[in-house]
């Protein structure tokens, strides 16, 4: 199916996740997916990262489960990283912004859920690296839907609002 551009697969409840079949299908189809939506209680983070590694070349839209939190592994994959040497200095020359290593270079739309009280640093890094517009560059993402999964703990939402408020205000400002 080399003309396939969109793939949506989900399972319900205890239904088995077709990991090996999906890898085989993606490998054999020779398609360049532009949209991927995967949703299952049975799909592991390691499995998801294998699929993303197979389709990352042309992927424009990625829809991850919004009812469960993205893990640290997944957040690291979807957030570009600045290249650094073992000593911690940036590889680029002085005055030149660090070159980002981007696993999903063409991504325009992303939906995911996250428990920010567990992954606040990862969420802040994601917002900085994927959502803020650098001067003279166009926005990295056109559409981001982040579902904040918060437990019912008094005061938690207020504390998180203070941590994310500055970044999210900047995103809103950049988009105007």
């Amino acid at each position: 199916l080399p003309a396939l551009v969109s793939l949506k697969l989900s399972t319900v409840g205890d239904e088995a996740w077709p990991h090996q079949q999906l890898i085989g299908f993606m490998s054999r189809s020779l398609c360049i997916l532009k949209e991927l939506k995967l949703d299952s209680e049975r799909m592991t983070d390691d499995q998801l990262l294998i699929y993303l590694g197979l389709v990352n070349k042309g992927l424009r839209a990625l829809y991850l489960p919004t009812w469960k939190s993205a893990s640290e592994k997944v957040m690291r994959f979807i957030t570009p990283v600045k290249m650094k040497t073992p000593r911690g200095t940036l590889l680029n020359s002085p005055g030149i912004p660090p070159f980002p290593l981007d696993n999903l270079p063409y991504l325009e739309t992303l939906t995911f859920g996250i428990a920010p009280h567990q992954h606040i640093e990862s969420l802040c890094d994601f917002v900085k690296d994927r959502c803020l517009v650098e001067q003279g560059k166009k926005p990295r993402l056109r559409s981001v839907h982040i579902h904040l999964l918060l437990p019912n703990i008094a005061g938690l939402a207020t504390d998180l609002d203070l941590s994310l408020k500055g970044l999210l205000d900047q995103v809103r400002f950049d988009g105007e």
Side-chain angles (χ1 to χ4, degrees):
L1 298 171
L4 183 69
V5 294
S6 179
L7 177 63
K8 298 175 185 176
L9 181 62
S10 63
T11 61
V12 179
D14 290 338
E15 196 174 337
W17 180 250
H19 176 64
Q20 291 302 327
Q21 295 88 337
L22 184 55
I23 288 175
F25 173 78
M26 294 169 97
S27 299
R28 287 189 312 273
S29 69
L30 301 175
C31 61
I32 298 177
L33 287 180
K34 293 184 179 181
E35 179 181 68
L36 180 63
K37 181 176 184 176
L38 300 173
D39 192 3
S40 173
E41 291 179 36
R42 299 286 187 178
M43 179 180 60
T44 68
D45 290 338
D46 290 335
Q47 291 170 338
L48 172 62
L49 295 176
I50 289 170
Y51 311 142
L52 292 177
L54 291 171
V55 300
N56 66 352
K57 302 300 180 218
L59 199 62
R60 302 272 195 271
L62 176 60
Y63 303 94
L64 299 176
T66 57
W67 51 267
K68 71 175 185 176
S69 182
S71 69
E72 285 295 318
K73 279 184 183 180
V74 172
M75 291 303 295
R76 281 194 303 267
F77 189 91
I78 64 175
T79 303
V81 295
K82 308 281 188 215
M83 297 293 287
K84 295 187 178 194
T85 65
R87 292 185 189 163
T89 58
L90 298 173
L91 287 176
N92 302 76
S93 302
I96 299 173
F99 175 76
L101 175 61
D102 194 345
N103 290 315
L104 301 166
Y106 302 107
L107 196 65
E108 296 175 350
T109 301
L110 178 62
T111 298
F112 67 96
I114 189 163
H117 58 289
Q118 296 173 344
H119 306 291
I120 192 70
E121 284 186 33
S122 295
L123 181 57
C124 289
D125 288 345
F126 171 83
V127 170
K128 286 179 205 171
D129 294 335
R130 281 270 184 209
C131 302
L132 297 181
V133 181
E134 292 180 29
Q135 189 170 1
K137 294 186 179 183
K138 59 183 176 180
R140 298 180 57 75
L141 287 173
R142 294 180 182 197
S143 177
V144 180
H145 302 272
I146 303 171
H147 296 254
L148 300 178
L149 307 170
L150 298 170
N152 191 8
I153 299 173
L156 179 63
T158 304
D159 294 342
L160 291 173
D161 287 345
L162 294 174
S163 299
L164 292 173
K165 186 177 181 346
L167 281 176
L168 297 179
D169 283 347
Q170 229 180 321
V171 171
R172 184 172 50 244
F173 178 75
D174 285 342
E176 296 178 344

